Amino acid sequence: MIKQTLMALAAAALLAGCDVAPVGQAPTAPVPSPSTTPAMSANQAARSFVRVVQTLEPVAERECRARTSGVNCDFNIVVDDRPGQPANAFQTLDKNGRPVVAFTLALIADARNEDELAFVLGHEAAHHIGGHIARQQQNAVAGAVIFAGLATLSGGGAEAVRSAQKLGAEVGARSYSKDFELEADALGTIITKRAGYDPLRGAEFFTRIPDPGDKFLGTHPPNASRINVVRRTAAGL
């Protein structure tokens, strides 16, 4: 459902003129050269965002219903219009368990085309379909229990155990975050394609963001790995 915030974004532009089974590893694809296509004007970005939401949201909801059972698939797409927010999009749940996908204004403004907006939306929707929030919470709980147990066995006091629980939860939550991102890239590619957009063109977004490399317990995989997953998934459609 397109919320009033989306329509407000479009209206303001007109007036102003203005992160399933883990994906297997494959040979890393070379990262394409960064796109030289300029960002859209604020007017174009606002109109494009509304069109993408209208087009892709029903597709994401169909995929959600087809791939899950007992899951709320009524996506709420919103704009995070807090000032000073960096280019970002994220998926969360509201207090009633409804999936929320939020785009910051900076991300919308940074998009080069509708394919990029569609891919980001498909990716975030895929996080919900994959149950990544619940799975991450389970990993965090497991990490907290294990670290606290080790602290207790080593003779640690109450404060040491609490510190170990906190660290364990963080380590547990990060343990499979790269896999979750690759899963979301793969399913996001399918959603993007089925909505009529080009996921390969959309994934060019990765050529303009910092490459996290392959850091231990990092939250995101290398950009080249993500682009490779998109290419491989798109080739199989």
Side-chain angles (χ1 to χ4, degrees):
M1 168 184 262
I2 300 178
K3 305 303 290 180
Q4 291 180 345
T5 45
L6 302 189
M7 305 312 297
L9 174 68
L14 290 172
L15 291 173
C18 333
D19 198 63
V20 224
V23 178
Q25 294 299 314
T28 301
V31 178
S33 300
S35 172
T36 57
T37 304
M40 296 182 283
S41 69
N43 190 354
Q44 290 173 319
R47 289 176 178 272
S48 293
F49 184 64
V50 172
R51 279 195 298 268
V52 166
V53 173
Q54 289 175 328
T55 304
L56 190 140
E57 183 182 8
V59 177
E61 292 181 351
R62 284 198 299 271
E63 289 294 322
C64 180
R65 289 191 292 270
R67 294 170 180 267
T68 63
S69 177
V71 173
N72 189 332
C73 295
D74 182 19
F75 285 98
N76 182 17
I77 318 300
V78 301
V79 174
D80 180 356
D81 59 358
R82 292 174 296 168
Q85 293 300 302
N88 190 28
F90 57 91
Q91 184 265 317
T92 187
L93 300 172
D94 69 13
K95 62 182 180 180
N96 297 315
R98 184 182 183 188
V100 177
V101 176
F103 281 69
T104 64
L105 290 171
L107 188 146
I108 296 170
D110 184 58
R112 298 300 192 259
N113 50 64
E114 293 188 10
D115 297 298
E116 290 188 357
L117 291 170
F119 182 80
V120 172
L121 179 52
H123 171 92
E124 296 302 331
H127 274 308
H128 175 65
I129 297 171
H132 292 165
I133 288 180
R135 291 163 65 188
Q136 188 175 54
Q137 291 172 339
Q138 291 170 355
N139 293 338
V141 170
V145 170
I146 292 171
F147 275 56
L150 291 174
T152 300
L153 289 174
S154 64
E159 184 59 34
V161 171
R162 282 194 294 270
S163 297
Q165 285 178 321
K166 183 177 179 180
L167 177 60
E170 182 177 352
V171 171
R174 289 172 175 263
S175 295
Y176 297 99
S177 59
K178 293 179 183 178
D179 289 335
F180 293 164
E181 291 301 321
L182 293 176
E183 289 175 19
D185 287 336
L187 180 52
T189 297
I190 294 171
I191 293 171
T192 302
K193 181 69 173 180
R194 290 181 177 172
Y197 294 101
D198 183 350
L200 294 176
R201 190 172 182 230
E204 289 182 5
F205 176 79
F206 292 132
T207 67
R208 300 196 310 279
I209 61 176
D211 193 333
D214 197 13
K215 298 176 182 177
F216 176 65
L217 290 182
T219 58
H220 287 67
N223 292 344
S225 296
R226 304 185 70 175
I227 292 171
N228 186 70
V229 166
V230 174
R231 286 176 171 167
R232 187 178 60 200
T233 304
L237 296 177

